[in-house]
Amino acid sequence: MTTPPTSGVHGQSCLNVTYTKRSICALKGSTVDITCTYRHPSWHNVTEVSWFNKWETGVTTDLIQDPEYAGRVKYHPTTDKGSTLRITDLRESDSAEYKFRFTTTEVKWGYSFPGTTLIVTDLQVKETPGTEEGKVTLTCITTCTLTDNPTYIWYKNGQLLTNPNTQDNFLYLDQISSGDAGSYSCGVEGYENLRSPVTFFGEPKSLKNAVVGIIVVILILILCLFGFVWFR
C-alpha cells in the first residue's frame, strides 16, 4: 500500500486534480494563492473551470459568483492544465476547504475529493516572564503556523526595530532597563501594514519619578491640612 503525497492527487489515472498544498495558514488582510494542476484525456475539451468552498449533493457555488468574495477573487491559469485561486483582503470567515472543479465535453470533475484547507489568523503579542530575573519575552503568536516560514518583525512606539534582540517570533526585553519601556507590536515581512494590537511594556523612569513626586506632594499637603485643622 502506497502513501498518498502531501500535495494531494485526487481522481482516476486519466482524470485528476493535484493540489500544491493541502493546508495553508495566512494572515488576516493578506493575499493568498491556492494552486492546483489537473489532467484529463486528450479527447476531452475543457469548457469551464471554477473554485468553490460550498457544495451540497454535487451542486457547487462558484466563488466568483459568491457575494462574500465580491471583488476579492480571481482565477489565474498557471498552465494549460493548471489554475490558481487568488483571494485578497483575507477575512477570518474565509477559513474553509477550497476545491477546484473542471468541466469537459464529457464530464464534470473535482467536487468529491479533498482540496486545500485555508486557515486565516491574526497576530497577537503574548508576554511571559523570562528564565532570568528581570527578563521578559514577548511572543508574536497566531492560531496556526504561518505558511512559508515568514520573517517576524517588531515595532516599538510605532517604529520598526532595526536591531532587536529576537529569535524567530520572540522578542527579549529587560524590565530593569528603562530603554526597553514602550509600546510594542509585531508583524511579518511582506505585510508590514498588518500588525498585531499594541502591548505596553515597562514604565519610563522619568514617569515613575514624576508619579512618586506627585504622591509625595499630595501626602505633604494632606499632613499640612490635618496639622492646620488640629492646631485650630
Side-chain angles (χ1 to χ4, degrees), residues 152-155 160-167 170-172:
Y152 288 87
I153 52 181
W154 290 89
Y155 299 87
L160 178 66
L161 284 173
T162 56
N163 189 28
N165 183 15
T166 64
Q167 181 181 357
F170 302 102
L171 175 65
Y172 304 104

Side-chain angles (χ1 to χ4, degrees), residues 101-232:
R101 183 174 188 173
F102 66 94
T103 303
T104 74
T105 50
E106 307 293 330
V107 69
K108 290 184 178 181
W109 196 260
Y111 75 88
S112 61
F113 302 105
T116 295
T117 299
L118 171 66
I119 302 174
V120 181
T121 181
D122 60 0
L123 295 167
Q124 297 288 334
V125 175
K126 180 181 179 181
E127 180 179 331
T128 55
T131 55
E132 299 179 28
E133 185 178 356
K135 304 294 184 180
V136 169
T137 299
L138 298 184
T139 308
C140 193
I141 60 174
T142 54
T143 56
C144 55
T145 302
L146 292 174
T147 303
D148 298 329
N149 298 316
T151 299
Y152 288 87
I153 52 181
W154 290 89
Y155 299 87
K156 177 184 177 183
N157 300 328
Q159 301 299 314
L160 178 66
L161 284 173
T162 56
N163 189 28
N165 183 15
T166 64
Q167 181 181 357
D168 298 326
N169 58 326
F170 302 102
L171 175 65
Y172 304 104
L173 301 175
D174 189 343
Q175 284 182 314
I176 299 174
S177 172
S178 60
D180 279 350
S183 62
Y184 289 86
S185 61
C186 66
V188 297
E189 286 187 354
Y191 288 100
E192 287 79 3
N193 60 317
L194 303 178
R195 305 180 189 180
S196 70
V198 169
T199 187
F200 295 92
F201 171 78
E203 196 175 357
K205 184 179 292 185
S206 58
L207 179 58
K208 285 185 177 180
N209 292 339
V211 170
V212 171
I214 292 172
I215 292 174
V216 170
V217 170
I218 292 174
L219 288 174
I220 292 173
L221 289 174
I222 292 173
L223 290 173
C224 290
L225 180 60
F226 272 111
F228 177 75
V229 172
W230 187 81
F231 277 114
R232 290 191 62 180

